[in-house]
Amino acid sequence: MAWQDPVTGYECIIMRDPKRGHLRGFVGVPPEHPLFGFKHGAIPPSLGIEVHGGLTYSAPCDLTA
């Protein structure tokens, strides 16, 4: 399922992992967002971002799709 968050305007996706069956969530942040361009493993823990299972993915969106 994909939607645009009405409060932030961010594009969001939730999908079920085809192998393990758990849900995965993704949020696209715009270039002006302070975390834009960060690799998921490089986001400072001091920011206090808490995600069940941790941050495990970061990549540019495919703007041609």
Side-chain angles (χ1 to χ4, degrees):
M1 175 168 49
W3 72 97
Q4 185 178 46
D5 179 71
V7 175
T8 63
Y10 298 160
E11 299 294 331
C12 303
I13 298 172
I14 191 166
M15 56 191 294
R16 189 166 299 281
D17 184 283
K19 294 182 181 178
R20 296 184 181 97
H22 60 271
L23 295 174
R24 301 184 295 176
F26 304 87
V27 178
V29 295
E32 59 273 6
H33 191 281
L35 294 178
F36 182 84
F38 269 82
K39 297 289 185 192
H40 63 277
I43 295 175
S46 62
L47 293 178
I49 297 174
E50 295 184 29
V51 180
H52 177 72
L55 296 172
T56 59
Y57 179 82
S58 59
C61 292
D62 182 356
L63 298 177
T64 61

PDB file of all heavy atoms in Angstrom, residues 4-31:
ATOM      1  N   GLN A   4       0.353   9.200   0.610  1.00  0.00           N
ATOM      2  CA  GLN A   4       1.060  10.410   1.017  1.00  0.00           C
ATOM      3  C   GLN A   4       0.531  10.817   2.374  1.00  0.00           C
ATOM      4  O   GLN A   4      -0.677  11.002   2.551  1.00  0.00           O
ATOM      5  CB  GLN A   4       0.856  11.535   0.013  1.00  0.00           C
ATOM      6  CG  GLN A   4       1.669  12.766   0.348  1.00  0.00           C
ATOM      7  CD  GLN A   4       1.499  13.865  -0.680  1.00  0.00           C
ATOM      8  OE1 GLN A   4       0.380  14.169  -1.085  1.00  0.00           O
ATOM      9  NE2 GLN A   4       2.602  14.436  -1.125  1.00  0.00           N
ATOM     10  N   ASP A   5       1.444  10.965   3.346  1.00  0.00           N
ATOM     11  CA  ASP A   5       1.039  11.353   4.686  1.00  0.00           C
ATOM     12  C   ASP A   5       0.438  12.754   4.644  1.00  0.00           C
ATOM     13  O   ASP A   5       1.077  13.687   4.140  1.00  0.00           O
ATOM     14  CB  ASP A   5       2.254  11.326   5.624  1.00  0.00           C
ATOM     15  CG  ASP A   5       1.891  11.746   7.026  1.00  0.00           C
ATOM     16  OD1 ASP A   5       1.210  10.965   7.710  1.00  0.00           O
ATOM     17  OD2 ASP A   5       2.265  12.865   7.430  1.00  0.00           O
ATOM     18  N   PRO A   6      -0.786  12.929   5.143  1.00  0.00           N
ATOM     19  CA  PRO A   6      -1.436  14.242   5.050  1.00  0.00           C
ATOM     20  C   PRO A   6      -0.788  15.328   5.906  1.00  0.00           C
ATOM     21  O   PRO A   6      -0.922  16.505   5.611  1.00  0.00           O
ATOM     22  CB  PRO A   6      -2.872  13.971   5.511  1.00  0.00           C
ATOM     23  CG  PRO A   6      -2.802  12.728   6.311  1.00  0.00           C
ATOM     24  CD  PRO A   6      -1.652  11.922   5.766  1.00  0.00           C
ATOM     25  N   VAL A   7      -0.079  14.961   6.958  1.00  0.00           N
ATOM     26  CA  VAL A   7       0.551  15.951   7.836  1.00  0.00           C
ATOM     27  C   VAL A   7       1.896  16.417   7.275  1.00  0.00           C
ATOM     28  O   VAL A   7       2.174  17.607   7.183  1.00  0.00           O
ATOM     29  CB  VAL A   7       0.718  15.394   9.272  1.00  0.00           C
ATOM     30  CG1 VAL A   7       1.469  16.369  10.149  1.00  0.00           C
ATOM     31  CG2 VAL A   7      -0.637  15.060   9.874  1.00  0.00           C
ATOM     32  N   THR A   8       2.754  15.457   6.885  1.00  0.00           N
ATOM     33  CA  THR A   8       4.107  15.799   6.444  1.00  0.00           C
ATOM     34  C   THR A   8       4.226  15.949   4.931  1.00  0.00           C
ATOM     35  O   THR A   8       5.144  16.585   4.436  1.00  0.00           O
ATOM     36  CB  THR A   8       5.109  14.718   6.875  1.00  0.00           C
ATOM     37  OG1 THR A   8       4.757  13.480   6.233  1.00  0.00           O
ATOM     38  CG2 THR A   8       5.123  14.543   8.382  1.00  0.00           C
ATOM     39  N   GLY A   9       3.317  15.296   4.199  1.00  0.00           N
ATOM     40  CA  GLY A   9       3.413  15.271   2.745  1.00  0.00           C
ATOM     41  C   GLY A   9       4.393  14.228   2.228  1.00  0.00           C
ATOM     42  O   GLY A   9       4.609  14.114   1.028  1.00  0.00           O
ATOM     43  N   TYR A  10       4.989  13.442   3.125  1.00  0.00           N
ATOM     44  CA  TYR A  10       5.958  12.423   2.720  1.00  0.00           C
ATOM     45  C   TYR A  10       5.245  11.237   2.077  1.00  0.00           C
ATOM     46  O   TYR A  10       4.158  10.840   2.500  1.00  0.00           O
ATOM     47  CB  TYR A  10       6.777  11.927   3.908  1.00  0.00           C
ATOM     48  CG  TYR A  10       7.609  12.978   4.586  1.00  0.00           C
ATOM     49  CD1 TYR A  10       8.064  12.787   5.868  1.00  0.00           C
ATOM     50  CD2 TYR A  10       7.946  14.178   3.961  1.00  0.00           C
ATOM     51  CE1 TYR A  10       8.841  13.737   6.513  1.00  0.00           C
ATOM     52  CE2 TYR A  10       8.726  15.128   4.599  1.00  0.00           C
ATOM     53  CZ  TYR A  10       9.161  14.907   5.869  1.00  0.00           C
ATOM     54  OH  TYR A  10       9.921  15.854   6.495  1.00  0.00           O
ATOM     55  N   GLU A  11       5.914  10.652   1.090  1.00  0.00           N
ATOM     56  CA  GLU A  11       5.410   9.448   0.448  1.00  0.00           C
ATOM     57  C   GLU A  11       5.755   8.252   1.333  1.00  0.00           C
ATOM     58  O   GLU A  11       6.882   8.130   1.819  1.00  0.00           O
ATOM     59  CB  GLU A  11       6.035   9.270  -0.935  1.00  0.00           C
ATOM     60  CG  GLU A  11       5.722  10.415  -1.881  1.00  0.00           C
ATOM     61  CD  GLU A  11       4.250  10.512  -2.260  1.00  0.00           C
ATOM     62  OE1 GLU A  11       3.550   9.473  -2.289  1.00  0.00           O
ATOM     63  OE2 GLU A  11       3.791  11.635  -2.538  1.00  0.00           O
ATOM     64  N   CYS A  12       4.781   7.369   1.547  1.00  0.00           N
ATOM     65  CA  CYS A  12       4.954   6.225   2.437  1.00  0.00           C
ATOM     66  C   CYS A  12       4.551   4.939   1.722  1.00  0.00           C
ATOM     67  O   CYS A  12       3.637   4.945   0.884  1.00  0.00           O
ATOM     68  CB  CYS A  12       4.079   6.385   3.672  1.00  0.00           C
ATOM     69  SG  CYS A  12       4.368   7.899   4.601  1.00  0.00           S
ATOM     70  N   ILE A  13       5.223   3.861   2.066  1.00  0.00           N
ATOM     71  CA  ILE A  13       4.901   2.543   1.513  1.00  0.00           C
ATOM     72  C   ILE A  13       4.965   1.533   2.648  1.00  0.00           C
ATOM     73  O   ILE A  13       5.872   1.588   3.478  1.00  0.00           O
ATOM     74  CB  ILE A  13       5.898   2.116   0.422  1.00  0.00           C
ATOM     75  CG1 ILE A  13       5.866   3.085  -0.748  1.00  0.00           C
ATOM     76  CG2 ILE A  13       5.618   0.689  -0.045  1.00  0.00           C
ATOM     77  CD1 ILE A  13       6.958   2.838  -1.780  1.00  0.00           C
ATOM     78  N   ILE A  14       4.011   0.617   2.676  1.00  0.00           N
ATOM     79  CA  ILE A  14       4.083  -0.524   3.571  1.00  0.00           C
ATOM     80  C   ILE A  14       3.841  -1.761   2.718  1.00  0.00           C
ATOM     81  O   ILE A  14       2.973  -1.764   1.841  1.00  0.00           O
ATOM     82  CB  ILE A  14       3.087  -0.424   4.749  1.00  0.00           C
ATOM     83  CG1 ILE A  14       3.372  -1.485   5.784  1.00  0.00           C
ATOM     84  CG2 ILE A  14       1.664  -0.472   4.278  1.00  0.00           C
ATOM     85  CD1 ILE A  14       2.677  -1.261   7.118  1.00  0.00           C
ATOM     86  N   MET A  15       4.679  -2.777   2.941  1.00  0.00           N
ATOM     87  CA  MET A  15       4.537  -3.998   2.154  1.00  0.00           C
ATOM     88  C   MET A  15       4.935  -5.201   3.002  1.00  0.00           C
ATOM     89  O   MET A  15       5.681  -5.069   3.972  1.00  0.00           O
ATOM     90  CB  MET A  15       5.390  -3.928   0.890  1.00  0.00           C
ATOM     91  CG  MET A  15       6.851  -3.667   1.131  1.00  0.00           C
ATOM     92  SD  MET A  15       7.816  -3.284  -0.342  1.00  0.00           S
ATOM     93  CE  MET A  15       7.757  -4.790  -1.228  1.00  0.00           C
ATOM     94  N   ARG A  16       4.418  -6.355   2.623  1.00  0.00           N
ATOM     95  CA  ARG A  16       4.744  -7.581   3.340  1.00  0.00           C
ATOM     96  C   ARG A  16       5.962  -8.238   2.706  1.00  0.00           C
ATOM     97  O   ARG A  16       6.030  -8.374   1.490  1.00  0.00           O
ATOM     98  CB  ARG A  16       3.556  -8.544   3.329  1.00  0.00           C
ATOM     99  CG  ARG A  16       3.759  -9.732   4.245  1.00  0.00           C
ATOM    100  CD  ARG A  16       2.479 -10.494   4.502  1.00  0.00           C
ATOM    101  NE  ARG A  16       1.447  -9.717   5.144  1.00  0.00           N
ATOM    102  CZ  ARG A  16       1.375  -9.427   6.448  1.00  0.00           C
ATOM    103  NH1 ARG A  16       2.323  -9.834   7.268  1.00  0.00           N
ATOM    104  NH2 ARG A  16       0.374  -8.730   6.937  1.00  0.00           N
ATOM    105  N   ASP A  17       6.917  -8.638   3.525  1.00  0.00           N
ATOM    106  CA  ASP A  17       8.101  -9.329   3.032  1.00  0.00           C
ATOM    107  C   ASP A  17       7.672 -10.678   2.456  1.00  0.00           C
ATOM    108  O   ASP A  17       7.032 -11.468   3.159  1.00  0.00           O
ATOM    109  CB  ASP A  17       9.094  -9.534   4.183  1.00  0.00           C
ATOM    110  CG  ASP A  17      10.381 -10.151   3.723  1.00  0.00           C
ATOM    111  OD1 ASP A  17      10.396 -11.381   3.485  1.00  0.00           O
ATOM    112  OD2 ASP A  17      11.383  -9.427   3.605  1.00  0.00           O
ATOM    113  N   PRO A  18       7.979 -10.942   1.199  1.00  0.00           N
ATOM    114  CA  PRO A  18       7.494 -12.175   0.576  1.00  0.00           C
ATOM    115  C   PRO A  18       8.096 -13.454   1.167  1.00  0.00           C
ATOM    116  O   PRO A  18       7.470 -14.504   1.097  1.00  0.00           O
ATOM    117  CB  PRO A  18       7.889 -12.017  -0.895  1.00  0.00           C
ATOM    118  CG  PRO A  18       8.970 -10.995  -0.909  1.00  0.00           C
ATOM    119  CD  PRO A  18       8.750 -10.116   0.285  1.00  0.00           C
ATOM    120  N   LYS A  19       9.273 -13.379   1.756  1.00  0.00           N
ATOM    121  CA  LYS A  19       9.917 -14.579   2.317  1.00  0.00           C
ATOM    122  C   LYS A  19       9.582 -14.798   3.785  1.00  0.00           C
ATOM    123  O   LYS A  19       9.342 -15.913   4.212  1.00  0.00           O
ATOM    124  CB  LYS A  19      11.430 -14.506   2.137  1.00  0.00           C
ATOM    125  CG  LYS A  19      11.853 -14.568   0.685  1.00  0.00           C
ATOM    126  CD  LYS A  19      13.354 -14.542   0.555  1.00  0.00           C
ATOM    127  CE  LYS A  19      13.719 -14.589  -0.923  1.00  0.00           C
ATOM    128  NZ  LYS A  19      15.155 -14.521  -1.133  1.00  0.00           N
ATOM    129  N   ARG A  20       9.583 -13.719   4.555  1.00  0.00           N
ATOM    130  CA  ARG A  20       9.409 -13.857   6.003  1.00  0.00           C
ATOM    131  C   ARG A  20       8.007 -13.513   6.488  1.00  0.00           C
ATOM    132  O   ARG A  20       7.628 -13.829   7.596  1.00  0.00           O
ATOM    133  CB  ARG A  20      10.439 -13.001   6.726  1.00  0.00           C
ATOM    134  CG  ARG A  20      11.856 -13.474   6.445  1.00  0.00           C
ATOM    135  CD  ARG A  20      12.859 -12.683   7.252  1.00  0.00           C
ATOM    136  NE  ARG A  20      14.206 -13.116   6.964  1.00  0.00           N
ATOM    137  CZ  ARG A  20      15.025 -12.526   6.111  1.00  0.00           C
ATOM    138  NH1 ARG A  20      14.632 -11.442   5.469  1.00  0.00           N
ATOM    139  NH2 ARG A  20      16.234 -12.986   5.912  1.00  0.00           N
ATOM    140  N   GLY A  21       7.240 -12.794   5.683  1.00  0.00           N
ATOM    141  CA  GLY A  21       5.857 -12.485   6.027  1.00  0.00           C
ATOM    142  C   GLY A  21       5.641 -11.267   6.897  1.00  0.00           C
ATOM    143  O   GLY A  21       4.504 -10.884   7.135  1.00  0.00           O
ATOM    144  N   HIS A  22       6.712 -10.631   7.378  1.00  0.00           N
ATOM    145  CA  HIS A  22       6.521  -9.452   8.229  1.00  0.00           C
ATOM    146  C   HIS A  22       6.313  -8.202   7.360  1.00  0.00           C
ATOM    147  O   HIS A  22       6.608  -8.202   6.177  1.00  0.00           O
ATOM    148  CB  HIS A  22       7.696  -9.264   9.188  1.00  0.00           C
ATOM    149  CG  HIS A  22       9.014  -9.086   8.510  1.00  0.00           C
ATOM    150  ND1 HIS A  22       9.836 -10.134   8.175  1.00  0.00           N
ATOM    151  CD2 HIS A  22       9.649  -7.966   8.083  1.00  0.00           C
ATOM    152  CE1 HIS A  22      10.920  -9.676   7.583  1.00  0.00           C
ATOM    153  NE2 HIS A  22      10.830  -8.354   7.508  1.00  0.00           N
ATOM    154  N   LEU A  23       5.789  -7.171   7.984  1.00  0.00           N
ATOM    155  CA  LEU A  23       5.554  -5.914   7.268  1.00  0.00           C
ATOM    156  C   LEU A  23       6.815  -5.063   7.286  1.00  0.00           C
ATOM    157  O   LEU A  23       7.559  -5.036   8.263  1.00  0.00           O
ATOM    158  CB  LEU A  23       4.407  -5.143   7.906  1.00  0.00           C
ATOM    159  CG  LEU A  23       3.044  -5.819   7.805  1.00  0.00           C
ATOM    160  CD1 LEU A  23       2.016  -5.024   8.596  1.00  0.00           C
ATOM    161  CD2 LEU A  23       2.622  -5.976   6.363  1.00  0.00           C
ATOM    162  N   ARG A  24       7.035  -4.356   6.175  1.00  0.00           N
ATOM    163  CA  ARG A  24       8.155  -3.425   6.051  1.00  0.00           C
ATOM    164  C   ARG A  24       7.585  -2.066   5.679  1.00  0.00           C
ATOM    165  O   ARG A  24       6.675  -1.969   4.868  1.00  0.00           O
ATOM    166  CB  ARG A  24       9.126  -3.886   4.960  1.00  0.00           C
ATOM    167  CG  ARG A  24       9.684  -5.247   5.216  1.00  0.00           C
ATOM    168  CD  ARG A  24      10.705  -5.651   4.202  1.00  0.00           C
ATOM    169  NE  ARG A  24      10.107  -5.776   2.866  1.00  0.00           N
ATOM    170  CZ  ARG A  24      10.801  -6.046   1.768  1.00  0.00           C
ATOM    171  NH1 ARG A  24      12.096  -6.193   1.810  1.00  0.00           N
ATOM    172  NH2 ARG A  24      10.193  -6.159   0.614  1.00  0.00           N
ATOM    173  N   GLY A  25       8.120  -1.016   6.270  1.00  0.00           N
ATOM    174  CA  GLY A  25       7.654   0.335   5.984  1.00  0.00           C
ATOM    175  C   GLY A  25       8.776   1.201   5.434  1.00  0.00           C
ATOM    176  O   GLY A  25       9.935   1.053   5.820  1.00  0.00           O
ATOM    177  N   PHE A  26       8.416   2.091   4.514  1.00  0.00           N
ATOM    178  CA  PHE A  26       9.377   2.981   3.876  1.00  0.00           C
ATOM    179  C   PHE A  26       8.789   4.388   3.832  1.00  0.00           C
ATOM    180  O   PHE A  26       7.591   4.555   3.603  1.00  0.00           O
ATOM    181  CB  PHE A  26       9.669   2.525   2.438  1.00  0.00           C
ATOM    182  CG  PHE A  26      10.160   1.108   2.350  1.00  0.00           C
ATOM    183  CD1 PHE A  26       9.273   0.055   2.258  1.00  0.00           C
ATOM    184  CD2 PHE A  26      11.517   0.838   2.378  1.00  0.00           C
ATOM    185  CE1 PHE A  26       9.719  -1.257   2.175  1.00  0.00           C
ATOM    186  CE2 PHE A  26      11.978  -0.469   2.291  1.00  0.00           C
ATOM    187  CZ  PHE A  26      11.079  -1.518   2.190  1.00  0.00           C
ATOM    188  N   VAL A  27       9.632   5.382   4.030  1.00  0.00           N
ATOM    189  CA  VAL A  27       9.214   6.780   3.958  1.00  0.00           C
ATOM    190  C   VAL A  27      10.222   7.525   3.087  1.00  0.00           C
ATOM    191  O   VAL A  27      11.428   7.461   3.325  1.00  0.00           O
ATOM    192  CB  VAL A  27       9.163   7.445   5.349  1.00  0.00           C
ATOM    193  CG1 VAL A  27       8.782   8.913   5.229  1.00  0.00           C
ATOM    194  CG2 VAL A  27       8.191   6.702   6.260  1.00  0.00           C
ATOM    195  N   GLY A  28       9.725   8.207   2.085  1.00  0.00           N
ATOM    196  CA  GLY A  28      10.584   9.028   1.242  1.00  0.00           C
ATOM    197  C   GLY A  28      10.691  10.426   1.814  1.00  0.00           C
ATOM    198  O   GLY A  28       9.677  11.042   2.131  1.00  0.00           O
ATOM    199  N   VAL A  29      11.916  10.899   1.990  1.00  0.00           N
ATOM    200  CA  VAL A  29      12.103  12.258   2.496  1.00  0.00           C
ATOM    201  C   VAL A  29      12.628  13.140   1.366  1.00  0.00           C
ATOM    202  O   VAL A  29      13.435  12.708   0.546  1.00  0.00           O
ATOM    203  CB  VAL A  29      13.045  12.311   3.720  1.00  0.00           C
ATOM    204  CG1 VAL A  29      12.434  11.573   4.899  1.00  0.00           C
ATOM    205  CG2 VAL A  29      14.413  11.759   3.417  1.00  0.00           C
ATOM    206  N   PRO A  30      12.176  14.388   1.307  1.00  0.00           N
ATOM    207  CA  PRO A  30      12.602  15.297   0.239  1.00  0.00           C
ATOM    208  C   PRO A  30      14.027  15.815   0.462  1.00  0.00           C
ATOM    209  O   PRO A  30      14.575  15.709   1.567  1.00  0.00           O
ATOM    210  CB  PRO A  30      11.584  16.435   0.336  1.00  0.00           C
ATOM    211  CG  PRO A  30      11.162  16.438   1.772  1.00  0.00           C
ATOM    212  CD  PRO A  30      11.199  14.996   2.208  1.00  0.00           C
ATOM    213  N   PRO A  31      14.638  16.382  -0.569  1.00  0.00           N
ATOM    214  CA  PRO A  31      16.020  16.882  -0.460  1.00  0.00           C
ATOM    215  C   PRO A  31      16.240  17.888   0.671  1.00  0.00           C
ATOM    216  O   PRO A  31      17.335  17.952   1.222  1.00  0.00           O
ATOM    217  CB  PRO A  31      16.280  17.532  -1.821  1.00  0.00           C
ATOM    218  CG  PRO A  31      15.366  16.829  -2.753  1.00  0.00           C
ATOM    219  CD  PRO A  31      14.127  16.502  -1.936  1.00  0.00           C
TER     220      PRO A  31
END
